[in-house]
Amino acid sequence: MAGFIDYRATARATERALLRAGLALGIDWHDTVAVQAIVRETLDRRQGRQRSPRRLPHGCERQRLNLCALVVLRRRLEVEFDAGDAPCAAWAALSRALDREIASRLA
């Protein structure tokens, strides 16, 4: 059944959602420090190092959680389904930051 899913289209849609979330949060994709902070937060949440509060998140907090989930989804599309052709500038910056952060955590 996996042959019926267009992973490249899903990757493009995920990148558009990343751009919208970044715009809502005021993220400058050329600011390497800000992008690295997003990646660090994403990996910390993914590894259970940073927990969300018990209440339902609202506003910017919810947008940041959404952005972290989109980063994980886009990376999985890139790695597992080879949907990494011609990424947008935001994803290219996030992908480089992810590679650096993962390499530093594995070292």
Side-chain angles (χ1 to χ4, degrees), residues 12-49:
R12 286 190 301 272
T14 304
E15 288 174 3
R16 282 192 302 273
L18 276 166
L19 289 172
R20 282 193 304 270
L23 183 64
L25 291 169
I27 295 172
D28 177 13
W29 298 112
H30 301 290
D31 181 3
T32 56
V33 174
V35 172
Q36 197 70 35
I38 292 166
V39 166
R40 195 171 300 114
E41 178 183 349
T42 299
L43 292 177
D44 286 347
R45 287 183 186 282
R46 185 84 174 136
Q47 294 175 340
R49 293 181 183 174

Side-chain angles (χ1 to χ4, degrees), residues 58-77:
H58 295 286
C60 287
E61 185 180 4
R62 186 178 185 101
Q63 281 286 20
R64 285 192 76 83
L65 287 172
N66 184 37
L67 183 64
C68 290
L70 289 168
V71 168
V72 171
L73 174 62
R74 180 59 180 93
R75 177 51 70 109
R76 289 194 69 178
L77 286 167

